[in-house]
Amino acid sequence: MTKKLSTIFLFIFFFSFFSLSSKEKFTIGFSQCGQRDNWRLKMESEMERELLFHPDLSIIVKQALDNSEMQIRQIDELMNMDIDLLIVSPNEINPVQKAIEKVYQKGIPVILIDRRIDSESFTAYVGGDNYEIGQFAAEYIARKLNYTGKTLEIQGAQTISAAVERSKGFNDGLDKYPDLINVYKIHSFWNEKIISDSLPSGLKQHPNIDAIFAFNDDLAINAVEVLKKNNYSSNLIIVGVDGLPTPNGGIEMVENGTLTATIIYPTGGKESILLASKILHGEPFEKYNSLPSTIVDESNVKITRRQFQNISELQTDINKSMNMLKILNGRYHVQQVLLFVLAVLFIVMIVLLVMYLSANKKLKQSNINLEKQKNEISSQNTELLRLTDELEEATQAKLRFFTNISHEFRTPLTLILGPLENMIDSADIPERFRMQVSMMHRNSLRLLHMINQLMDFRKIENSKMQLHAANYDIVDFLREIITSFSDLAEKKQISLLFDSEKSSLNVWFDYDKLDKVIFNLLSNAIKFTSVNGTIKISLKVSKPLINKIWNQEIEIKVSDTGSGIPTDQIDHIFDRFYQAENSSGNMGTGLGLSLSKEFVDLHHGDINVKSKLGEGTIFIIRLPVGDKHLTEQVKIKSSGNRPVGHKPKRRDEIYINPVLDNEEKNIEVDFGEKQTILLVEDEKDVREYIKDSLNYYYNIIEAENGKKALDLIREDEPDIIISDVMMPEMDGMELTRTLKNDLKTCHIPIILLTARASQEQKFEGLEEGADSYIPKPFNSKHLQIRVKKLLELREKIQERYKGQLLIEENDSDLSKLDRKFLNKISQIVEEHLEKEELTVEELSQRLGLSRVHVYRKIKKLTGMSVSEFVRSVKLKLSLNLIKTSGKTISEIAYEVGFSSPSYFTKCFKDQFGISPSEFEKGK
Ligand code: FRU
């Protein structure tokens, strides 16, 4: 807004300033013909003076020095200088005329001054009337001579208009008086020699001449001098033209008696400028502007001279005033510039002031807003702090509760573990339960381990975790832990290697805590390394970094050839509760590595990880050697190689829950009388548990994920599938979707078993085609019943099918694919009705399925063999024929492809319970 205003303001100001100073200017070109004699100087000074009153007019003057050629050139030059108007005093009529016409035709106004051309191609003329001047002279001489006498005429050059006109006027004037005769004419230019030669010769021819008329005063004075030289009487009347008031000019010569009279010939300098101004400004003007002339002789010479003097004084005054004006104009101009600068400064100041005020206003407003925001933020902060405190308090309370509960869990867990261990050791428990008992034992230990981790975490949280360091042999320590893992590693066919630079090395550390760290790293390594992999623990001593206070440190590396950690997860691996997603499926609590880091930190050491996906992982622990970094408080006394009461532990799959591939491969599959259940579950213990509750009644085959399940189904088709949902590689949903969308497998009932118990998930599972959905934790009895019911349903469908010709479109007990399948077979049978035997090959070709699959599928859905099934379809079709065709039973028997009517009757009775003729009667 301010910017806009100031721009408009400045624009108006500049516009008015420049419009004042930029009134249109005109250039006048002036071509002066003659020598710079006094008369022409007077003309020019008159012009100059007049120009002072016309600041919009400027003039360029060119002097032709009585040379017509030069004048033509100069007129041309002026024309090309883009003049707005030409004032020209043509030297001679003819040569210059063309040049003047050219200018006029170009549209440039032309003012002729003093002299004329023989053409009308000019804008205006200004100057004395030379014809009248000639007549004045004749009249004056006539009066003086009493109208009788002889005259001699000294003419100007006859190529000049002024000279021609004056001479004509003089002669015409004399012609009025018959006694006055112009007896002699001297053709002169301005050349003195001509007069000194021709005047005496003229006088010789006409000795009684009374008067001489000369073209101008200069020639007249010249004539007087020639007369004096030749001793002629001085009472001759001599008349000249011009009447200049200058020294030796016409006026002075009349006053001192040299000349009898002079005719004032006005130069027209001033008038030409006035006329030019009028033309240029488009004001009205006259084309012919004759200036008046006066005769000056002894009768009026004095008064004339005084008048000229007065005029000259006035002109001097005017000149002075004009000079003064010039100075004042200069000052005015400077002041104008100053004023302009001041005005600009003023405007800038105003603009700045406005800007300052508006900025100030904005600043104040934003300060107020800022203050408001500050207050809001501070009140939000207070609120936030309060909420944080509350949250912290709530979290602490929860954690306290959680820890207390966890703590409380330990006693019952110990009470469970004790009896369980007794049961395991006892030979009395039946073999059937031994596995379940050992599973209970393993999982109780797992629970205890997790609770211990949680307690450690709380201690660290509350800064109550204390280091209890002593100087132990770390080589011995590591060897002991590694040995404790050897059974497990062997079971998983993993090479477990230990490589130490030293055979023994004493380091200050907390036995229990470092044990937990190494245990955690090793159990992770075992968990994520598959069969034939390698886990290596190495120990070496290295120099520490310069800024550390100890001068040696040890480096323990635990490397494995396991699955590796994805790069996007590696930065979070030591974060609390962070659970890296891993293909092995066991996700743990997310506390192990975080605790390990805390424990290493307590030792003033550090722990790092490097990993490459698919290649393996290396954990590096660095611990300082010596005890400079430890306070006395954290040191404990130790007499041996391990703390008092510490027993070496046997590490087994309690904590690790590994999936043992080799075990799985050895599963025996018995397809005897029992139906087969395929159990798909990644947690081995859960598998064991389910197996335990079902293997008495069914054959159980196992797979640890959906993918492996699909491989098994391809080999041997189970009667029913129980599958977990959340599994690595292929989850239960995908497995269900794959099976239910394949004609070969869509009839197999599927029970989904999962902890994801929400309604939506249940619907999702059913949507995929699952036949049942049992949420975890489940009751084994519930599972048994569900399996039984689903298998019974399958049998019922088989039964029902026997009496049904076409499967209803909305038969919800069968999948869409199965309905289509059965209807398609019925159609094929109908097309080949007369054929006694429709082979499996023919059917499999038409259905696009292998023979085995056709056989298996028909058996599963109907409980019949292919030929039994084809026969039953034919019999069903015969029902219709008996009812509507009017044919005999025998005819119908052949028509539906039976070899004999008696066999047809037997089969009919077997299938429908009545004979065909009985059916015909009752129709
Ligand atoms: C000056 C002059 C005058 C004369 C006029 C005629 O150069 O010779 O004496 O009157 O020119 O054009």
PDB file of all heavy atoms in Angstrom, residues 37 39-40 114-115 160 162 166 190 215-216 241-242 265, ligand 1:
ATOM      1  N   ASP A  37      29.029  43.383 -42.622  1.00  0.00           N
ATOM      2  CA  ASP A  37      29.082  44.840 -42.518  1.00  0.00           C
ATOM      3  C   ASP A  37      28.165  45.310 -41.400  1.00  0.00           C
ATOM      4  O   ASP A  37      27.436  44.511 -40.807  1.00  0.00           O
ATOM      5  CB  ASP A  37      28.698  45.479 -43.863  1.00  0.00           C
ATOM      6  CG  ASP A  37      27.350  44.982 -44.350  1.00  0.00           C
ATOM      7  OD1 ASP A  37      26.384  44.996 -43.541  1.00  0.00           O
ATOM      8  OD2 ASP A  37      27.249  44.516 -45.515  1.00  0.00           O
ATOM      9  N   TRP A  39      25.444  47.046 -41.327  1.00  0.00           N
ATOM     10  CA  TRP A  39      23.999  46.846 -41.493  1.00  0.00           C
ATOM     11  C   TRP A  39      23.588  45.412 -41.142  1.00  0.00           C
ATOM     12  O   TRP A  39      22.640  45.171 -40.447  1.00  0.00           O
ATOM     13  CB  TRP A  39      23.615  47.182 -42.946  1.00  0.00           C
ATOM     14  CG  TRP A  39      22.119  47.232 -43.127  1.00  0.00           C
ATOM     15  CD1 TRP A  39      21.303  48.280 -42.874  1.00  0.00           C
ATOM     16  CD2 TRP A  39      21.299  46.154 -43.569  1.00  0.00           C
ATOM     17  NE1 TRP A  39      20.016  47.975 -43.119  1.00  0.00           N
ATOM     18  CE2 TRP A  39      19.966  46.640 -43.562  1.00  0.00           C
ATOM     19  CE3 TRP A  39      21.530  44.862 -43.972  1.00  0.00           C
ATOM     20  CZ2 TRP A  39      18.892  45.859 -43.957  1.00  0.00           C
ATOM     21  CZ3 TRP A  39      20.437  44.107 -44.366  1.00  0.00           C
ATOM     22  CH2 TRP A  39      19.135  44.587 -44.350  1.00  0.00           C
ATOM     23  N   ARG A  40      24.392  44.439 -41.607  1.00  0.00           N
ATOM     24  CA  ARG A  40      24.070  43.018 -41.351  1.00  0.00           C
ATOM     25  C   ARG A  40      24.306  42.681 -39.866  1.00  0.00           C
ATOM     26  O   ARG A  40      23.557  41.888 -39.289  1.00  0.00           O
ATOM     27  CB  ARG A  40      24.909  42.081 -42.241  1.00  0.00           C
ATOM     28  CG  ARG A  40      24.754  42.363 -43.700  1.00  0.00           C
ATOM     29  CD  ARG A  40      24.158  41.231 -44.498  1.00  0.00           C
ATOM     30  NE  ARG A  40      23.677  41.831 -45.762  1.00  0.00           N
ATOM     31  CZ  ARG A  40      22.465  41.683 -46.196  1.00  0.00           C
ATOM     32  NH1 ARG A  40      21.605  40.939 -45.547  1.00  0.00           N
ATOM     33  NH2 ARG A  40      22.074  42.264 -47.319  1.00  0.00           N
ATOM     34  N   ASP A 114      14.919  41.009 -46.116  1.00  0.00           N
ATOM     35  CA  ASP A 114      15.685  42.045 -46.812  1.00  0.00           C
ATOM     36  C   ASP A 114      15.664  41.871 -48.332  1.00  0.00           C
ATOM     37  O   ASP A 114      15.332  42.779 -49.057  1.00  0.00           O
ATOM     38  CB  ASP A 114      17.114  42.083 -46.233  1.00  0.00           C
ATOM     39  CG  ASP A 114      18.159  42.622 -47.194  1.00  0.00           C
ATOM     40  OD1 ASP A 114      17.868  43.622 -47.857  1.00  0.00           O
ATOM     41  OD2 ASP A 114      19.264  42.004 -47.248  1.00  0.00           O
ATOM     42  N   ARG A 115      15.942  40.665 -48.804  1.00  0.00           N
ATOM     43  CA  ARG A 115      15.962  40.449 -50.257  1.00  0.00           C
ATOM     44  C   ARG A 115      14.936  39.382 -50.641  1.00  0.00           C
ATOM     45  O   ARG A 115      14.510  38.583 -49.824  1.00  0.00           O
ATOM     46  CB  ARG A 115      17.356  40.016 -50.697  1.00  0.00           C
ATOM     47  CG  ARG A 115      18.398  41.092 -50.426  1.00  0.00           C
ATOM     48  CD  ARG A 115      19.782  40.679 -50.882  1.00  0.00           C
ATOM     49  NE  ARG A 115      20.758  41.658 -50.437  1.00  0.00           N
ATOM     50  CZ  ARG A 115      22.056  41.529 -50.617  1.00  0.00           C
ATOM     51  NH1 ARG A 115      22.538  40.460 -51.213  1.00  0.00           N
ATOM     52  NH2 ARG A 115      22.883  42.476 -50.204  1.00  0.00           N
ATOM     53  N   ILE A 160      20.721  41.419 -57.526  1.00  0.00           N
ATOM     54  CA  ILE A 160      20.189  41.492 -56.167  1.00  0.00           C
ATOM     55  C   ILE A 160      18.845  42.194 -56.209  1.00  0.00           C
ATOM     56  O   ILE A 160      18.718  43.257 -56.818  1.00  0.00           O
ATOM     57  CB  ILE A 160      21.175  42.259 -55.258  1.00  0.00           C
ATOM     58  CG1 ILE A 160      22.455  41.451 -55.099  1.00  0.00           C
ATOM     59  CG2 ILE A 160      20.571  42.587 -53.915  1.00  0.00           C
ATOM     60  CD1 ILE A 160      23.565  42.245 -54.476  1.00  0.00           C
ATOM     61  N   ALA A 162      17.160  43.851 -53.954  1.00  0.00           N
ATOM     62  CA  ALA A 162      17.109  45.173 -53.339  1.00  0.00           C
ATOM     63  C   ALA A 162      17.598  46.239 -54.337  1.00  0.00           C
ATOM     64  O   ALA A 162      16.977  47.317 -54.479  1.00  0.00           O
ATOM     65  CB  ALA A 162      17.954  45.184 -52.067  1.00  0.00           C
ATOM     66  N   ARG A 166      15.195  49.117 -55.857  1.00  0.00           N
ATOM     67  CA  ARG A 166      15.522  50.528 -55.535  1.00  0.00           C
ATOM     68  C   ARG A 166      15.698  51.339 -56.815  1.00  0.00           C
ATOM     69  O   ARG A 166      15.186  52.466 -56.952  1.00  0.00           O
ATOM     70  CB  ARG A 166      16.814  50.592 -54.727  1.00  0.00           C
ATOM     71  CG  ARG A 166      16.574  50.398 -53.253  1.00  0.00           C
ATOM     72  CD  ARG A 166      17.851  50.479 -52.468  1.00  0.00           C
ATOM     73  NE  ARG A 166      17.715  49.682 -51.260  1.00  0.00           N
ATOM     74  CZ  ARG A 166      18.690  49.441 -50.417  1.00  0.00           C
ATOM     75  NH1 ARG A 166      19.912  49.919 -50.675  1.00  0.00           N
ATOM     76  NH2 ARG A 166      18.471  48.740 -49.361  1.00  0.00           N
ATOM     77  N   TRP A 190      30.027  46.167 -54.828  1.00  0.00           N
ATOM     78  CA  TRP A 190      30.427  46.996 -53.679  1.00  0.00           C
ATOM     79  C   TRP A 190      31.872  47.466 -53.873  1.00  0.00           C
ATOM     80  O   TRP A 190      32.554  47.833 -52.976  1.00  0.00           O
ATOM     81  CB  TRP A 190      30.324  46.229 -52.338  1.00  0.00           C
ATOM     82  CG  TRP A 190      29.107  45.351 -52.248  1.00  0.00           C
ATOM     83  CD1 TRP A 190      29.087  44.067 -51.911  1.00  0.00           C
ATOM     84  CD2 TRP A 190      27.784  45.736 -52.492  1.00  0.00           C
ATOM     85  NE1 TRP A 190      27.840  43.570 -51.928  1.00  0.00           N
ATOM     86  CE2 TRP A 190      26.967  44.597 -52.297  1.00  0.00           C
ATOM     87  CE3 TRP A 190      27.110  46.925 -52.906  1.00  0.00           C
ATOM     88  CZ2 TRP A 190      25.592  44.599 -52.465  1.00  0.00           C
ATOM     89  CZ3 TRP A 190      25.742  46.897 -53.065  1.00  0.00           C
ATOM     90  CH2 TRP A 190      24.988  45.746 -52.842  1.00  0.00           C
ATOM     91  N   PHE A 215      23.122  53.372 -54.189  1.00  0.00           N
ATOM     92  CA  PHE A 215      22.379  52.186 -53.696  1.00  0.00           C
ATOM     93  C   PHE A 215      22.377  52.136 -52.170  1.00  0.00           C
ATOM     94  O   PHE A 215      21.366  51.843 -51.548  1.00  0.00           O
ATOM     95  CB  PHE A 215      23.012  50.919 -54.291  1.00  0.00           C
ATOM     96  CG  PHE A 215      22.576  49.656 -53.638  1.00  0.00           C
ATOM     97  CD1 PHE A 215      21.277  49.161 -53.826  1.00  0.00           C
ATOM     98  CD2 PHE A 215      23.438  48.957 -52.791  1.00  0.00           C
ATOM     99  CE1 PHE A 215      20.896  48.004 -53.196  1.00  0.00           C
ATOM    100  CE2 PHE A 215      23.049  47.797 -52.163  1.00  0.00           C
ATOM    101  CZ  PHE A 215      21.759  47.293 -52.368  1.00  0.00           C
ATOM    102  N   ASN A 216      23.527  52.479 -51.576  1.00  0.00           N
ATOM    103  CA  ASN A 216      23.532  52.543 -50.110  1.00  0.00           C
ATOM    104  C   ASN A 216      24.504  53.603 -49.644  1.00  0.00           C
ATOM    105  O   ASN A 216      25.220  54.207 -50.462  1.00  0.00           O
ATOM    106  CB  ASN A 216      23.811  51.174 -49.491  1.00  0.00           C
ATOM    107  CG  ASN A 216      25.187  50.633 -49.844  1.00  0.00           C
ATOM    108  OD1 ASN A 216      26.038  51.404 -50.361  1.00  0.00           O
ATOM    109  ND2 ASN A 216      25.418  49.358 -49.576  1.00  0.00           N
ATOM    110  N   VAL A 241      21.433  55.143 -48.883  1.00  0.00           N
ATOM    111  CA  VAL A 241      20.408  54.305 -48.222  1.00  0.00           C
ATOM    112  C   VAL A 241      21.061  53.507 -47.084  1.00  0.00           C
ATOM    113  O   VAL A 241      22.221  53.106 -47.221  1.00  0.00           O
ATOM    114  CB  VAL A 241      19.752  53.328 -49.218  1.00  0.00           C
ATOM    115  CG1 VAL A 241      18.709  52.446 -48.517  1.00  0.00           C
ATOM    116  CG2 VAL A 241      19.099  54.051 -50.380  1.00  0.00           C
ATOM    117  N   ASP A 242      20.341  53.332 -46.061  1.00  0.00           N
ATOM    118  CA  ASP A 242      20.655  52.508 -44.865  1.00  0.00           C
ATOM    119  C   ASP A 242      20.454  53.317 -43.582  1.00  0.00           C
ATOM    120  O   ASP A 242      19.794  52.846 -42.654  1.00  0.00           O
ATOM    121  CB  ASP A 242      22.086  51.936 -44.859  1.00  0.00           C
ATOM    122  CG  ASP A 242      22.184  50.691 -45.741  1.00  0.00           C
ATOM    123  OD1 ASP A 242      21.124  50.183 -46.189  1.00  0.00           O
ATOM    124  OD2 ASP A 242      23.299  50.210 -46.000  1.00  0.00           O
ATOM    125  N   TYR A 265      17.017  52.299 -43.916  1.00  0.00           N
ATOM    126  CA  TYR A 265      16.536  50.989 -44.445  1.00  0.00           C
ATOM    127  C   TYR A 265      16.534  49.980 -43.288  1.00  0.00           C
ATOM    128  O   TYR A 265      17.580  49.508 -42.843  1.00  0.00           O
ATOM    129  CB  TYR A 265      17.474  50.540 -45.582  1.00  0.00           C
ATOM    130  CG  TYR A 265      17.084  49.204 -46.184  1.00  0.00           C
ATOM    131  CD1 TYR A 265      15.781  48.961 -46.663  1.00  0.00           C
ATOM    132  CD2 TYR A 265      18.006  48.174 -46.300  1.00  0.00           C
ATOM    133  CE1 TYR A 265      15.445  47.744 -47.230  1.00  0.00           C
ATOM    134  CE2 TYR A 265      17.671  46.936 -46.864  1.00  0.00           C
ATOM    135  CZ  TYR A 265      16.380  46.741 -47.331  1.00  0.00           C
ATOM    136  OH  TYR A 265      16.046  45.532 -47.884  1.00  0.00           O
TER     137      TYR A 265
HETATM  138  C1  FRU B   1      24.299  45.692 -46.611  1.00  0.00           C
HETATM  139  C2  FRU B   1      23.546  46.245 -47.738  1.00  0.00           C
HETATM  140  C3  FRU B   1      22.873  47.463 -47.366  1.00  0.00           C
HETATM  141  C4  FRU B   1      21.712  47.492 -48.266  1.00  0.00           C
HETATM  142  C5  FRU B   1      21.274  46.088 -48.270  1.00  0.00           C
HETATM  143  C6  FRU B   1      20.542  45.608 -49.431  1.00  0.00           C
HETATM  144  O1  FRU B   1      24.952  44.506 -46.939  1.00  0.00           O
HETATM  145  O2  FRU B   1      24.327  46.405 -48.860  1.00  0.00           O
HETATM  146  O3  FRU B   1      23.736  48.547 -47.420  1.00  0.00           O
HETATM  147  O4  FRU B   1      20.734  48.347 -47.943  1.00  0.00           O
HETATM  148  O5  FRU B   1      22.442  45.350 -48.100  1.00  0.00           O
HETATM  149  O6  FRU B   1      20.239  44.259 -49.384  1.00  0.00           O
END
